[in-house]
Amino acid sequence: METVERLIRSTQQLLWERGYVGTSPKAIQAAADAGQGSMYHHFTGKAELAKAAIERSATELSAAAEEQLSGPGTAVERIARYLQRDREVLKGCRIGRLTADPDVMADPALRAPVEVTFRRIRERLAEILAEGKQTGEFPATLDPVATAATVAAVLQGGYVLARAANDDEPFDQAVQGMVQLLQGVAL
Amino acid sequence: METVERLIRSTQQLLWERGYVGTSPKAIQAAADAGQGSMYHHFTGKAELAKAAIERSATELSAAAEEQLSGPGTAVERIARYLQRDREVLKGCRIGRLTADPDVMADPALRAPVEVTFRRIRERLAEILAEGKQTGEFPATLDPVATAATVAAVLQGGYVLARAANDDEPFDQAVQGMVQLLQGVAL
């Protein structure tokens, strides 16, 4: 694997496990098996490399979401598949956890891919929910934009509850409860 | 204010803003206007002080939740009041954000108050939802434990979405969507 690629993947992994504040250039170099000179040859510093790593994670997560959301079935079925797909729950969300990182939130270049990822997923969910209204699956009173935010929030909050409990169970329950509510309001 | 109290409150504030990894003993001492000797006279170190600060935040948050949840009204009304009360959304949840802190999660003494806080709030919400079933507000098919996890997750995930967007709006939408879903399944 090329050095640039190793640097990006190592940074993705370290950001997931340690966060931005907890990830040092030295740790990245060690994990990527790259020298300091090599890292600064390819990137101006930790911030630029982190930006590349966050953008890569964002692209990967969006693609994974689209796999479930673009599949066959009703709106509830597609959203249920998205919520219930296999996840490394206790590791948390690679993108969502960055919102707890003050240095990521304070840097517009680092926050941008985080913002875009969540905006896109909410827009995509709202699209599917609006389709469900059009096909008569949901009542006319359902608010696709608000409900989409709720679905996205359940996932992110489920990670928080699971990590707090050091157990997948609250995540599974939160997702289960969400699917049941969507089934409950479906006509 | 006593030194111990100043140390605890300063640590609460720094953990909220900077997280555990990003909070140094020096920063705590500066914020509390306390000397290094004074801090180590009262606490064995950052971990013990952080434990006291997290426990304090947990107690304050549980009390704030109980204020809304124990009020009058139907189950949906009480939960809506809890979800919709005034919050410093963009600062995130003082307790929830700690789940992104690897050092907090790795230390059982620091994770314990985080775990207990979220377990209690889920239990309390499940109690109120079960009451709503008994009074005929909700259908017999509603799962109080799963739905309680969903409600707690929406709040935590709402913070994540809002911080990502640097805007309260996705939080407000997620909460709004949750209240509408509960109203939608109510009989």
Side-chain angles (χ1 to χ4, degrees):
Chain A
M1 216 191 305
E2 301 265 344
T3 309
V4 170
E5 185 63 20
R6 287 205 312 276
L7 284 165
I8 290 176
R9 292 200 194 177
S10 299
T11 306
Q12 282 183 283
Q13 201 58 35
L14 284 164
L15 287 177
W16 198 359
E17 287 163 9
R18 303 281 319 163
Y20 185 78
V21 177
T23 295
S24 67
K26 262 199 187 338
I28 295 171
Q29 290 153 25
D33 194 20
Q36 179 172 324
S38 170
M39 173 174 149
Y40 289 99
H41 172 71
H42 294 293
F43 297 94
T44 54
K46 175 175 138 177
E48 201 195 24
L49 179 46
K51 183 171 178 288
I54 296 171
E55 282 169 352
R56 177 72 66 84
S57 294
T59 305
E60 289 170 358
L61 283 184
S62 299
E66 203 43 45
E67 221 179 288
Q68 271 86 38
L69 292 175
S70 64
T74 64
V76 174
E77 284 166 354
R78 289 152 74 192
I79 292 172
R81 257 198 319 268
Y82 166 64
L83 288 171
Q84 291 166 342
R85 81 166 156 87
D86 251 357
R87 294 167 190 274
E88 294 186 76
V89 170
L90 288 185
K91 287 188 74 176
C93 175
R94 284 189 283 174
I95 298 295
R97 68 108 63 227
L98 296 170
T99 62
D101 243 314
D103 292 2
V104 173
M105 292 298 98
D107 183 336
L110 293 178
R111 191 174 59 77
V114 177
E115 173 167 14
V116 170
T117 304
F118 287 124
R119 194 176 60 226
R120 286 214 186 119
I121 186 71
R122 287 190 287 124
E123 283 170 358
R124 186 69 179 105
L125 288 165
E127 216 173 84
I128 293 168
L129 289 160
E131 274 172 44
K133 271 178 76 168
Q134 278 190 319
T135 60
E137 184 182 347
F138 293 123
T141 50
L142 185 107
D143 179 341
V145 170
T147 312
T150 307
V151 172
V154 163
L155 214 48
Q156 291 302 315
Y159 284 121
V160 170
L161 300 180
R163 281 176 63 88
N166 197 28
D167 189 330
D168 284 15
E169 197 183 40
F171 179 96
D172 294 338
Q173 289 173 338
V175 158
Q176 180 70 4
M178 184 71 219
V179 172
Q180 286 170 358
L181 285 169
L182 287 174
Q183 288 168 339
V185 296
L187 298 171
Chain B
M1 218 191 305
E2 301 264 344
T3 310
V4 171
E5 186 61 22
R6 286 205 314 275
L7 284 165
I8 291 176
R9 292 199 194 175
S10 300
T11 307
Q12 281 183 285
Q13 202 57 35
L14 284 163
L15 288 176
W16 197 0
E17 286 163 10
R18 302 281 320 160
Y20 186 78
V21 177
T23 296
S24 66
K26 262 199 187 340
I28 295 171
Q29 289 152 25
D33 193 19
Q36 180 172 325
S38 169
M39 174 175 150
Y40 288 100
H41 171 72
H42 294 293
F43 298 95
T44 54
K46 174 174 141 179
E48 201 196 24
L49 179 46
K51 184 171 177 288
I54 296 170
E55 282 169 352
R56 176 72 66 85
S57 294
T59 304
E60 290 170 356
L61 283 184
S62 298
E66 203 43 46
E67 221 180 288
Q68 271 86 39
L69 292 175
S70 64
T74 64
V76 174
E77 283 166 354
R78 289 152 74 192
I79 292 172
R81 256 199 318 267
Y82 166 64
L83 288 170
Q84 290 166 343
R85 80 167 156 86
D86 251 357
R87 295 167 189 274
E88 294 185 76
V89 170
L90 289 184
K91 288 187 75 176
C93 175
R94 286 189 283 173
I95 298 294
R97 67 108 63 224
L98 296 170
T99 62
D101 242 314
D103 292 1
V104 173
M105 293 296 97
D107 183 336
L110 293 178
R111 189 174 60 77
V114 178
E115 173 168 13
V116 169
T117 305
F118 286 125
R119 193 175 62 226
R120 286 214 186 119
I121 186 72
R122 287 190 286 123
E123 283 169 358
R124 186 69 180 105
L125 288 165
E127 218 173 83
I128 292 167
L129 290 160
E131 275 172 43
K133 270 177 78 168
Q134 278 190 320
T135 59
E137 186 181 346
F138 293 123
T141 50
L142 184 108
D143 179 340
V145 170
T147 312
T150 308
V151 171
V154 164
L155 214 47
Q156 292 302 316
Y159 284 120
V160 170
L161 299 180
R163 281 177 63 89
N166 197 29
D167 190 329
D168 285 14
E169 196 183 40
F171 179 96
D172 295 337
Q173 289 173 337
V175 158
Q176 179 70 2
M178 184 71 218
V179 172
Q180 287 170 357
L181 285 169
L182 287 174
Q183 289 167 337
V185 296
L187 299 171

